[in-house]
Amino acid sequence: MNSKALLVGAFCMLLSSNVDAQTVVQSDSLPEVVVTGTGTLHLLKDAPVQTEVINQRMLKNFSGKSIDEILSSLTSSFSFNEDDMGSQMQMNGLGNSYILVLIDGKRIHGDVGGQNDLSLIDPQNIEKIEIVKGASSALYGSDAIAGVVNIITKKHRQEGVLLENSTRVGSYGDLRQHNAVGLNFGKFSSLTNFQLQHSDGWQNTGTEHTVGTEPPIYDSRNKTVNRHTNWQVAQRFTYKPTDRLELYADGSIYRKRIYRTSGKYPHYDVKTWDMEYQNASVSAGGTYKLNATDFLQLDVDWNRHAYYYDFTATTLVEDYDKSAGTIYYPYFPYLAGQKELQSDQQRTMANLKGVFSLPYNNKLNVGAEYRYDWLKAPTRVRGGKAHDYTQSVYVQDEWNPVDMLNITAGLRLNHNSSFGMKLTPKLSAMLKLSNDFRLRASWSQGFKTPAIRELYYSYVRQMSGTYLYLGNENLKPQSSNYYSMSAEYTHGSLSLTLSGYYNKLDNMIALVTIPNYQAPDEYIILYDPVKTRQYKNIETAKTYGLDFNARYSWRELTVGLGYSYLDTRANQYDTTHDRMQKVTIDGMAHHKGNVFAMWGHRFSNDYRLGVGVYGRMSSKRYYQIDGNGKGYQLWRVTTTHDLGHSKTCDYRLELGVDNIFDYVDRTPHGLHLGTTTPGRTVYATFSIKFHKGKKISNKFKSNNYQKQNTNEED
């Protein structure tokens, strides 16, 4: 796609689906409250750190089937390439491992080949999403280099009983089921949530890219997205023994199976096993309110993510000598129906936090964290097991010397069992030049210790031949310096935001193609790979860009525009030619944009109609190997129908068409896609909500980010 045409088209439409936290129109809602940028509650317009929000009204009108679809369509900063190994998320030029994803302020745990499985998140259970761009390691620790995405879930706030059922069906066997049962009686409340997701998958092309002089394959069975099914049951209990104290305990079980087709071409589409993921989590904690503004909070949680091969045919698999840490012959068979563990990742975390109001308009946020990671991978890690732990303390002060100025400074001291001590600071400021105009600036450092997977994990993938991926025990921690400035103008129903950023990374970890002779001999003998890639520290990398957001509302119509410009540079050592070379960071697109127009009208007490038109577009995405991804434009039309509203029941019907111009990327398998969309799809969702009991006030909303005012549609 021509990038100039992309820009002209986006701006001429004067629309956007990027809902910036600084641009929320509040004509029909309570003032928006955010927490992610500082870990403390702020009105959206007064948040010291620029925060982007996708609120409940936007979520209800968009009717997204997944968090991937919601983020890529409602902001211009994200891109996704869904595959069997996860969501392949990228934010402002940096990949999934640099983006910290939180659910109610807690780290998501679901590392699938380095990519978080975002299907863990039930889109029907999202109250709103807060996004903070840039390094946030001073507050959130390792991984928060590109930014933080905080998924805030719905809470049952009504005395009595809540029952919810939502069923969505769509093209290619798409099925989404959501059920919730809520009980709230006096000091005790319970919320049970169930979700089911299924897709038959699809194939955009039967052409398979081959290596060397082999001719392409034109009748491959490989699918663009494989058939898959996942389900999750989650339970949360809350108990308030006093007005000052709230305790909770929750847990979840998650299962996912990916069904892989099998063809006739060895190393290309012969599949003898499906993939299965098993997740579990348990957590407990509480919040003690010291006064109207101060509180103490403790959270302890345990998470497990296990990855298995489920064999569908007799398969010869190499054995592994755990004591020697080497692969050896002979092979031994797995029969159809048997299962083999590939990795079992477990994590235990404890977090103690306090927020205190101090004299002279200071607010202090202090905390301590402990994290223990354990990995078992009998066939992928030498010795079969590895572990790591991190402990840290942090402090942050928000100071308002005068009403028009806020200065926020923070510092984290981190100790990792393998890499020692690290200090990470941050400094930000917000200046209110008038009631309508604000300036923000920030500098923050980020850090990321190498993950256990990057250090020790080795595996192969069949992609146009056998690709070997190797861990590297000689990796060094990554660090970054992030600078940003933004200007925001809000007057009435018009909102404009312009921000620029520069992010410089040292010792960035990336997969680098190396000569086969540099890999361990046993791997080369065993797999005979066409390419070998290993995690390496590249010298320096930088990303920089501009984000622009505009939004305007007039009566029942809301329109907006979002545009993101990005450039990346990295210095990478070329082992073949013994020299440094400049490369782009994989997945980078110079231009991305999204647009929307949304209209709604209540015709009677029993019927309200909503109509939305959404578009998202991207220029070419760049990769170091296996080709670039094509640019694209995707457009979507949604309608929502609120029916038969009563005191106890709400009924809702959603109908929509995605990718209305039927764009499909036909790039051969094994090469990079701009988008994995199968073309034009249709969907329908029907929801019933039963609630009996009076709505109760939330006495903890002033000090617990999990309970906030949100923009609710009337």
Side-chain angles (χ1 to χ4, degrees):
M1 171 183 289
N2 186 290
S3 59
K4 293 183 179 178
L6 170 68
L7 290 172
V8 172
F11 278 98
C12 286
M13 289 299 299
L14 256 189
L15 305 170
S16 162
S17 57
N18 191 327
V19 184
D20 192 278
Q22 318 309 325
T23 66
V24 171
V25 179
Q26 302 181 25
S27 58
D28 61 351
S29 61
L30 294 171
E32 189 78 48
V33 178
V34 295
V35 67
T36 309
T38 60
T40 55
L41 292 176
H42 288 277
L43 291 177
L44 180 59
K45 65 179 181 178
D46 294 327
V49 177
Q50 185 175 348
T51 307
E52 192 173 330
V53 168
I54 301 173
N55 60 33
Q56 180 64 194
R57 181 168 179 261
M58 289 299 301
L59 292 168
K60 290 177 69 174
N61 281 276
F62 181 71
S63 306
K65 70 177 181 180
S66 66
I67 189 65
D68 309 36
E69 188 177 80
I70 291 168
L71 288 176
S72 60
S73 298
L74 299 181
T75 76
S76 59
S77 302
F78 289 89
S79 57
F80 293 85
N81 260 16
E82 179 186 0
D83 65 12
D84 291 345
M85 303 309 295
S87 301
Q88 302 282 356
M89 177 169 57
Q90 191 179 74
M91 175 182 181
N92 282 355
L94 295 176
N96 183 89
S97 61
Y98 298 96
I99 306 166
L100 181 60
V101 181
L102 309 174
I103 301 178
D104 291 328
K106 298 178 182 177
R107 291 170 175 259
I108 191 173
H109 185 67
D111 186 11
V112 186
Q115 304 294 331
N116 280 327
D117 183 2
L118 297 182
S119 59
L120 285 161
I121 302 167
D122 181 0
Q124 292 288 337
N125 198 39
I126 300 175
E127 186 168 286
K128 68 174 180 176
I129 303 171
E130 297 182 4
I131 303 163
V132 175
K133 299 174 185 177
S136 300
S137 294
L139 188 61
Y140 291 105
S142 183
D143 304 338
I145 287 182
V148 179
V149 180
N150 191 7
I151 312 294
I152 298 172
T153 60
K154 294 178 181 178
K155 307 298 182 297
H156 178 34
R157 298 192 181 97
Q158 285 190 296
E159 187 79 24
V161 178
L162 167 72
L163 300 174
E164 286 185 351
N165 177 81
S166 177
T167 302
R168 172 182 173 130
V169 293
S171 304
Y172 300 96
D174 185 62
L175 173 65
R176 312 276 164 154
Q177 181 68 37
H178 162 81
N179 299 95
V181 178
L183 304 173
N184 198 331
F185 297 104
K187 299 178 180 181
F188 172 80
S189 65
S190 167
L191 183 63
T192 306
N193 187 74
F194 170 80
Q195 66 154 324
L196 170 72
Q197 302 178 12
H198 173 82
S199 172
D200 288 340
W202 57 87
Q203 184 187 54
N204 289 350
T205 178
T207 303
E208 187 85 36
H209 172 69
T210 57
V211 296
T213 59
E214 298 179 51
I217 296 170
Y218 295 105
D219 57 348
S220 170
R221 294 284 303 279
N222 278 328
K223 287 189 173 184
T224 305
V225 173
N226 282 311
R227 178 172 171 245
H228 56 273
T229 303
N230 61 273
W231 58 267
Q232 183 183 55
V233 177
Q235 174 66 52
R236 181 180 178 90
F237 297 107
T238 303
Y239 178 62
K240 298 180 181 179
T242 70
D243 288 345
R244 291 180 176 269
L245 179 63
E246 176 179 296
L247 304 173
Y248 78 90
D250 61 27
S252 67
I253 298 174
Y254 171 87
R255 297 291 185 269
K256 182 174 184 177
R257 176 134 183 182
I258 298 173
Y259 303 88
R260 307 197 305 164
T261 56
S262 182
K264 61 183 179 180
Y265 298 102
H267 302 296
Y268 292 96
D269 61 2
V270 174
K271 308 294 191 298
T272 59
W273 61 80
D274 294 334
M275 294 186 288
E276 180 181 336
Y277 304 106
Q278 298 183 6
N279 284 38
S281 69
V282 178
S283 62
T287 302
Y288 182 72
K289 186 177 179 181
L290 300 172
N291 52 49
T293 59
D294 302 350
F295 66 94
L296 295 172
Q297 184 172 292
L298 174 66
D299 296 288
V300 179
D301 62 89
W302 170 85
N303 293 268
R304 182 195 185 217
H305 170 78
Y307 168 37
Y308 295 89
Y309 283 170
D310 284 337
F311 290 93
T312 56
T314 301
T315 306
L316 297 178
V317 178
E318 72 278 359
D319 206 347
Y320 195 81
D321 187 342
K322 297 179 182 179
S323 60
T326 58
I327 298 172
Y328 72 92
Y329 295 101
Y331 292 105
F332 70 93
Y334 276 92
L335 304 179
Q338 290 186 304
K339 184 183 299 186
E340 181 189 41
L341 175 67
Q342 301 302 305
S343 67
D344 182 356
Q345 303 175 70
Q346 299 186 34
R347 184 194 68 197
T348 302
M349 291 191 68
N351 185 340
L352 177 63
K353 170 183 176 178
V355 173
F356 310 98
S357 297
L358 302 179
Y360 306 107
N361 297 317
N362 287 271
K363 181 183 290 185
L364 189 66
N365 181 359
V366 296
E369 293 181 356
Y370 176 81
R371 171 177 173 173
Y372 178 81
D373 287 280
W374 178 82
L375 170 66
K376 178 182 179 182
T379 64
R380 301 188 177 212
V381 172
R382 291 179 180 273
K385 297 180 181 179
H387 67 92
D388 181 73
Y389 69 85
T390 300
Q391 49 203 359
S392 60
V393 293
Y394 67 89
V395 59
Q396 174 187 270
D397 182 51
E398 302 172 42
W399 179 40
N400 289 87
V402 292
D403 289 341
M404 62 184 297
L405 178 64
N406 174 279
I407 298 174
T408 299
L411 183 68
R412 174 181 287 260
L413 176 62
N414 191 81
H415 174 261
N416 179 267
S417 59
S418 301
F419 301 101
M421 309 287 283
K422 174 67 177 179
L423 274 173
T424 307
K426 81 166 188 179
L427 180 65
S428 63
M430 181 186 69
L431 179 64
K432 294 188 285 187
L433 297 179
S434 69
N435 195 42
D436 297 332
F437 190 64
R438 287 167 173 78
L439 297 175
R440 291 177 176 85
S442 67
W443 163 73
S444 56
Q445 287 189 350
F447 78 95
K448 177 174 168 44
T449 54
I452 292 179
R453 167 184 49 81
E454 295 167 333
L455 291 166
Y456 308 112
Y457 201 70
S458 299
Y459 62 100
V460 296
R461 293 185 67 184
Q462 303 296 339
M463 303 181 303
S464 305
T466 302
Y467 281 43
L468 172 63
Y469 293 83
L470 299 174
N472 184 353
E473 297 182 30
N474 297 316
L475 291 174
K476 295 180 288 186
Q478 303 164 89
S479 60
S480 70
N481 281 278
Y482 178 82
Y483 307 87
S484 70
M485 294 189 66
S486 67
E488 171 211 347
Y489 176 78
T490 303
H491 182 76
S493 297
L494 174 66
S495 300
L496 302 170
T497 304
L498 177 65
S499 59
Y501 62 89
Y502 174 84
N503 202 357
K504 182 177 181 295
L505 287 80
D506 293 316
N507 294 319
M508 180 181 181
I509 295 175
L511 280 169
V512 176
T513 301
I514 63 173
N516 282 350
Y517 66 80
Q518 293 186 3
D521 291 340
E522 64 266 27
Y523 287 107
I524 301 302
I525 295 172
L526 184 62
Y527 298 116
D528 188 24
V530 297
K531 286 186 180 178
T532 299
R533 308 201 78 196
Q534 186 176 36
Y535 288 102
K536 296 271 191 179
N537 289 108
I538 59 181
E539 295 300 314
T540 59
K542 59 184 179 181
T543 67
Y544 52 92
L546 291 170
D547 292 330
F548 174 72
N549 304 286
R551 185 176 178 185
Y552 180 70
S553 294
W554 181 71
R555 295 185 179 178
E556 296 172 318
L557 176 69
T558 301
V559 297
L561 177 147
Y563 167 72
S564 177
Y565 170 77
L566 168 69
D567 203 356
T568 67
R569 291 287 185 273
N571 294 321
Q572 179 177 298
Y573 183 68
D574 183 350
T575 57
T576 302
H577 300 95
D578 192 26
R579 66 186 181 189
M580 295 297 297
Q581 61 178 350
K582 293 187 179 296
V583 298
T584 59
I585 297 176
D586 278 352
M588 184 271 292
H590 284 303
H591 308 283
K592 292 196 294 291
N594 49 2
V595 297
F596 88 85
M598 185 175 63
W599 175 84
H601 180 73
R602 182 170 291 282
F603 291 90
S604 68
N605 288 334
D606 294 328
Y607 181 66
R608 183 186 186 279
L609 172 65
V611 179
V613 179
Y614 303 84
R616 57 187 170 100
M617 54 280 295
S618 173
S619 60
K620 178 169 64 177
R621 300 183 69 186
Y622 293 89
Y623 293 89
Q624 296 177 41
I625 65 170
D626 295 333
N628 298 320
K630 298 177 182 177
Y632 60 86
Q633 290 191 43
L634 302 176
W635 294 87
R636 172 190 181 102
V637 175
T638 66
T639 64
T640 60
H641 310 263
D642 292 295
L643 311 166
H645 176 75
S646 70
K647 290 184 178 180
T648 58
C649 286
D650 296 319
Y651 307 92
R652 183 179 178 89
L653 176 65
E654 301 169 355
L655 302 171
V657 181
D658 199 10
N659 194 356
I660 58 179
F661 298 114
D662 199 26
Y663 172 77
V664 181
D665 190 339
R666 305 291 187 186
T667 300
H669 293 293
L671 302 178
H672 290 292
L673 302 177
T675 174
T676 58
T677 175
R680 185 183 300 115
T681 58
V682 298
Y683 72 88
T685 305
F686 184 68
S687 303
I688 302 175
K689 181 178 180 180
F690 171 83
H691 46 88
K692 188 171 184 180
K694 63 181 180 178
K695 192 167 185 177
I696 58 176
S697 62
N698 189 339
K699 298 179 181 180
F700 280 80
K701 68 183 180 181
S702 64
N703 71 336
N704 190 338
Y705 62 79
Q706 297 182 4
K707 306 172 180 63
Q708 310 170 29
N709 293 326
T710 58
N711 284 6
E712 294 287 351
E713 186 181 292
D714 59 15

